[in-house]
Amino acid sequence: MKKNTILVLLFLASFANAQSIQSPSKEVTLDFKLTSSGLPTYTVSYKSKPIILQSNLGIKLKEGNNLEANFRIDSIGRKNVNEIWRPVLGEQSTIKNNYNEMIVALSQPLTNKKLTIIFRAFDEGVAFRYDFPRQKDLNYFVISDEVTQFNLTGDHKTFWIPGDFDSQEYAYNETKLSEVDNDKLDLNNAIALKSIAGRYVIQSPLMMKSTAGLYINIFEAAVVNFPIMHLDLLPKENKLTTRLVPNAIGDKAYLQTPCVSPWRTIMVSDDARDIVGSKMILNLNEPSKIEDTSWIKPMKYVGIWWEMHLGKSTWDYAGSQNAHNAASKDLIPSGKHGATTANAKRYIDFAAKHGFDGVLVEGWNAGWEDWFGNWKENVFDFTTPYPDFNLKEVNDYAKLKGVKMIMHHETSGSVANYERHLDRALNLMKQYGYPAAKSGYVGRIIPRGEFHDGQTMVNHFNFVAQRFADYKMMVNSHESSRPTGYSRTYPNYIAAEAARGNEFNAWSVGNPPMHETILPFTRLLGGPMDYTPGIFEIKMNIYDATKTEQVHTTLAKQLALYVTMYSPLQMAADLPENYEKYPDAFQFIKDVAVDWQESIYLEAEPGDYVTVVRKDKKSENWFLGAITDENARATEIKLDFLTPNKKYQAIVYQDGTNADWKNNPKSYSIKTIQVTSMSKIKLNLANGGGTAISFKPIN
């Protein structure tokens, strides 16, 4: 009897240390268990197929007594959530949030420390986070490392960019995991990480296609008061481990209980459309903290910006030879300054004529002569205009024309300086009625030592969104850490760049044709991207015969990007005069909506193609965007998303017969046809091409 009793007790202990959670569909399963040494581990499967093999969980503390072993389970809690919420702006007017949750409370008997791990299983994947409850033996603490692992089942095809704690502005590489090699890349700066002890550091979100044909995405959600997660890869072992971005002295995070980590997310499906259409990252963020959101509006805008990237004009007023005193009235103007009163009025006239909401003006404020490469602390004050930019006159003119002005705040990485001036800058915006600002963080963070992706800067980006909300203003950040769904909590954080944008096509090797087919599977999972599409003059030699740079798309693909690259803040980025050359194609940019009632991904394959249709939130109009990589593509689309028994006028903006992104990018054609929900449309996308379609009901 004694022997049987011991066996029963061992069985019960084993059962207590192994727990499972399934998605509502029961297709996704996460198994949690403690090893014999009390180490927390988990596995993930999809339709009974292993996705994540046994992987460790835990946190290392700077003061020792790590939260990674010697645990026991104190309790298990479970609940189900099935709710609908309405985003202020979004790809759809309602979002379903349906998951099963398991809360595992752990403790270390030897140290009296406690740790809770919260698991959620959605139909498209799983998420988990560390919860540090208030406790006597863990109050203020410092994280030195996170040991979360993602042990994969094979040598998957992977879409990756190198680990760089200061930038995500890289073109994606498409290789097997075993072929990841940062050492062969031309990295943006010295902070970009090359191999470390046989490991390669790469960034999340990491999109993969498994050797079994499954789509897997590793990312994070709700990064608040925590550094960004990068990933250490052991290529030959297919193992990934979390690498948190450090601060200036190597610490990862300073925390006080009670607190939580961001969510670690693993999406999985046998259909790529489930990944690209997922709202799991948003669902893992807190609801909006802004009670009155009536002032948060979507915008289409033009601006004084692309002409500087082309070299036609400059951000600075006088040129770098006058850098001794950027605010001085004694500066000798260079004659190339873009942000003049007259030029701003020209853009305002264009915006008013064509129905755009706003005009962005970069280079309006003093300091640009002395900003790049010098990395000084107090270059910009965000309130002093150049002598040739009359702030009041420009704003009075915009108001007369019914156009809103968008402020520009380039910090040059001097974050402390920006925070010191922030309220004065916001008061200036309030005085002149600016609804939004574009912020910039080019260069190393000043004071030196912090990284764009570290805890300090994450807190800064979130603080700026909160402070803008206090003034009822929207913010669009560039060169920030990449979003992780925080736009649900602060929907005035209307957009961000945080990836390699369209401007790289003006002065570098550019973005390869597959680039825009990958971003919806990676960067865009965390929030809207200000990609600045709409370039019609594709080849830069039109401005300078010696230039070889060009946009790596057709003109028709630039139109399609307004639909495939979601953002409630969309720029018509090209010069006004270029749009006037192609008024028939420009009509699509004028017509396309930026806030949506419904979005349906019809086709998707990372690195190859994306086709999506979206319904305008304010009308019965639908818009379709289809893009491809460097390969031409023919497909047929069913229009069963349209309202039955209703006729629509479909205006199809497509690549010309001989279009090609490299050799004949501006070849396009436009046709108008009548369709219903029973119709089908054949799409023929050129190399690097696309198709854009507007569907309007016929009364």
Side-chain angles (χ1 to χ4, degrees):
M1 291 294 294
K2 186 176 180 180
K3 182 177 180 181
N4 289 340
T5 301
I6 292 172
L7 288 174
V8 169
L9 289 175
L10 288 173
F11 171 78
L12 290 174
S14 174
F15 178 78
N17 286 342
Q19 301 289 330
S20 295
I21 185 174
Q22 285 190 317
S23 63
S25 68
K26 302 189 183 304
E27 292 183 343
V28 179
T29 301
L30 181 144
D31 294 309
F32 168 84
K33 75 172 184 178
L34 294 180
T35 66
S36 58
S37 61
L39 176 70
T41 68
Y42 77 102
T43 62
V44 178
S45 62
Y46 173 73
K47 295 182 178 180
S48 301
K49 298 176 182 177
I51 302 301
I52 301 294
L53 303 177
Q54 185 169 355
S55 299
N56 295 344
L57 299 166
I59 298 289
K60 289 187 176 181
L61 305 179
K62 186 176 182 180
E63 58 268 30
N65 293 325
N66 297 324
L67 300 171
E68 60 174 337
N70 303 313
F71 280 111
R72 71 181 181 194
I73 295 178
D74 290 337
S75 65
I76 302 288
R78 296 178 184 273
K79 71 176 182 180
N80 167 263
V81 171
N82 190 0
E83 62 185 6
I84 299 291
W85 61 278
R86 295 181 177 273
V88 178
L89 305 171
E91 293 184 84
Q92 50 205 61
S93 58
T94 60
I95 293 177
K96 184 178 182 180
N97 186 23
N98 185 200
Y99 60 86
N100 292 321
E101 182 174 270
M102 179 171 68
I103 303 170
V104 181
L106 305 171
S107 65
Q108 292 176 326
L110 296 178
T111 68
N112 293 319
K113 288 186 170 64
K114 298 180 182 296
L115 176 68
T116 299
I117 307 178
I118 305 172
F119 299 94
R120 290 181 181 175
F122 299 79
D123 285 347
E124 65 264 50
V126 300
F128 55 87
R129 78 183 332 173
Y130 302 101
D131 184 320
F132 307 92
R134 189 183 300 279
Q135 53 195 288
K136 180 181 178 181
D137 296 302
L138 193 67
N139 188 5
Y140 297 97
F141 64 104
V142 181
I143 291 179
S144 61
D145 267 311
E146 181 180 331
V147 298
T148 304
Q149 294 179 335
F150 307 89
N151 293 332
L152 302 166
T153 61
D155 191 12
H156 304 332
K157 181 167 72 173
T158 304
F159 302 89
W160 61 277
I161 55 177
D164 183 334
F165 297 163
D166 270 328
S167 177
Q168 315 86 2
E169 295 183 332
Y170 291 92
Y172 279 88
N173 303 279
E174 180 182 342
T175 71
K176 292 182 178 180
L177 279 166
S178 61
E179 296 168 347
V180 170
D181 189 348
N182 289 357
D183 295 344
K184 295 180 180 179
L185 298 180
D186 180 17
L187 300 172
N188 284 354
N189 58 62
I191 303 304
L193 295 176
K194 294 178 180 286
S195 59
I196 301 176
R199 297 172 180 261
Y200 291 105
V201 184
I202 54 181
Q203 298 197 37
S204 75
L206 184 66
M207 185 67 205
M208 295 171 283
K209 188 173 184 179
S210 79
T211 52
L214 298 177
Y215 300 91
I216 304 169
N217 184 284
I218 296 175
F219 193 23
E220 60 180 333
V223 180
V224 177
N225 193 30
F226 217 82
I228 293 294
M229 178 184 75
H230 290 234
L231 297 166
D232 277 359
L233 168 65
L234 283 172
K236 295 182 180 179
E237 299 181 34
N238 305 320
K239 291 184 177 181
L240 298 164
T241 304
T242 295
R243 175 179 284 270
L244 299 180
V245 175
N247 66 8
I249 61 173
D251 294 333
K252 307 300 172 62
Y254 301 120
L255 300 172
Q256 180 184 10
T257 57
C259 57
V260 294
S261 77
W263 295 95
R264 305 317 182 198
T265 65
I266 304 163
M267 299 182 198
V268 57
S269 180
D270 50 17
D271 188 335
R273 296 176 298 176
D274 294 337
I275 306 294
V276 74
S278 172
K279 296 297 172 283
M280 193 170 95
I281 301 301
L282 284 177
N283 280 329
L284 289 164
N285 280 263
E286 292 185 22
S288 174
K289 292 183 180 292
I290 304 173
E291 292 185 8
D292 174 21
T293 59
S294 60
W295 50 273
I296 301 174
K297 305 286 188 183
M299 297 183 74
K300 259 190 289 188
Y301 71 103
V302 296
I304 301 174
W305 175 77
W306 186 245
E307 61 185 68
M308 282 88 100
H309 287 283
L310 298 174
K312 181 181 178 182
S313 64
T314 62
W315 282 273
D316 61 78
Y317 168 73
S320 58
Q321 70 274 13
N322 291 284
H324 61 282
N325 187 358
S328 172
K329 294 182 179 179
D330 298 328
L331 291 175
I332 302 172
S334 66
K336 291 191 68 178
H337 185 217
T340 67
T341 299
N343 201 25
K345 287 183 175 181
R346 183 171 73 93
Y347 277 84
I348 291 168
D349 286 340
F350 182 81
K353 178 181 178 181
H354 295 286
F356 284 83
D357 303 294
V359 172
L360 167 73
V361 177
E362 294 198 10
W364 70 276
N365 57 326
W368 288 89
E369 284 81 12
D370 202 23
W371 78 288
F372 188 76
N374 293 317
W375 314 131
K376 294 182 179 179
E377 178 75 12
N378 299 308
V379 172
F380 297 108
D381 66 11
F382 313 101
T383 58
T384 303
Y386 276 124
D388 60 349
F389 187 79
N390 189 313
L391 197 58
K392 184 178 187 305
E393 184 179 341
V394 168
N395 282 272
D396 287 348
Y397 190 76
K399 187 179 294 185
L400 182 67
K401 294 285 188 173
V403 173
K404 296 287 188 180
M405 298 300 296
I406 299 174
M407 182 56 74
H408 184 235
H409 293 159
E410 175 53 61
T411 69
S412 67
S414 184
V415 177
N417 178 59
Y418 186 43
E419 291 187 358
R420 285 193 296 269
H421 287 89
L422 185 56
D423 281 285
R424 279 169 282 184
L426 290 168
N427 277 317
L428 182 74
M429 290 175 60
K430 184 177 181 180
Q431 176 185 347
Y432 288 109
Y434 282 79
K438 173 184 175 181
S439 61
Y441 295 86
V442 174
R444 297 285 298 277
I445 300 302
I446 302 171
R448 290 169 177 80
E450 300 298 340
F451 296 116
H452 286 72
D453 283 356
Q455 182 188 29
T456 296
M457 286 305 297
V458 166
N459 289 346
H460 168 79
F461 298 129
N462 290 347
F463 165 74
V464 169
Q466 296 167 24
R467 203 72 186 109
F468 268 70
D470 292 339
Y471 283 79
K472 293 190 174 182
M473 294 173 187
M474 300 179 290
V475 63
N476 163 30
S477 64
H478 280 230
E479 297 88 32
S480 63
S481 58
R482 76 294 184 266
T484 57
Y486 198 63
S487 58
R488 179 185 180 186
T489 308
Y490 280 90
N492 68 312
Y493 200 165
I494 191 172
E497 184 190 37
R500 189 179 175 96
N502 215 6
E503 74 270 16
F504 276 79
N505 291 307
W507 37 257
S508 75
V509 295
N511 303 333
M514 74 172 182
H515 187 62
E516 295 92 352
T517 71
I518 299 171
L519 288 172
F521 290 91
T522 52
R523 161 65 185 82
L524 282 156
L525 292 176
M529 181 179 179
D530 187 27
Y531 189 70
T532 61
I535 304 303
F536 280 11
E537 285 298 349
I538 304 293
K539 292 180 178 288
M540 302 304 112
N541 61 14
I542 192 173
Y543 309 104
D544 181 343
T546 65
K547 284 183 174 288
T548 58
E549 296 86 358
Q550 71 163 97
V551 179
H552 292 196
T553 74
T554 63
L555 188 152
K557 184 174 179 179
Q558 287 291 306
L559 297 179
L561 293 177
Y562 284 93
V563 187
T564 64
M565 301 285 289
Y566 166 67
S567 179
L569 180 74
Q570 288 282 20
M571 185 181 197
D574 211 338
L575 308 181
E577 53 266 36
N578 290 341
Y579 290 130
E580 289 168 348
K581 296 177 188 176
Y582 310 96
D584 53 351
F586 185 47
Q587 188 62 46
F588 182 82
I589 299 178
K590 294 164 63 173
D591 290 341
V592 69
V594 290
D595 193 23
W596 306 103
Q597 183 179 154
E598 185 178 359
S599 296
I600 305 170
Y601 286 86
L602 302 177
E603 303 175 312
E605 181 67 27
D608 290 339
Y609 55 85
V610 174
T611 303
V612 60
V613 290
R614 306 187 192 273
K615 187 178 184 181
D616 178 18
K617 188 179 285 187
K618 294 183 178 180
S619 73
E620 292 298 306
N621 298 340
W622 288 80
F623 296 88
L624 179 146
I627 62 173
T628 187
D629 60 0
E630 68 278 6
N631 299 307
R633 183 166 188 268
T635 185
E636 186 174 69
I637 300 298
K638 294 180 180 180
L639 305 185
D640 51 5
F641 53 85
L642 298 175
T643 302
N645 303 316
K646 183 176 287 189
K647 295 179 180 179
Y648 289 80
Q649 179 194 67
I651 305 176
V652 182
Y653 302 78
Q654 60 190 1
D655 293 315
T657 304
N658 299 315
D660 178 89
W661 72 268
K662 189 173 185 179
N663 300 314
N664 196 17
K666 292 194 294 183
S667 174
Y668 68 91
S669 66
I670 302 172
K671 65 180 181 180
T672 301
I673 58 177
Q674 184 173 296
V675 297
T676 70
S677 63
M678 302 295 290
S679 303
K680 298 178 182 179
I681 291 183
K682 291 184 178 180
L683 307 180
N684 290 290
L685 282 61
N687 301 328
T691 300
I693 306 176
S694 63
F695 300 92
K696 298 180 181 180
I698 299 173
N699 295 329

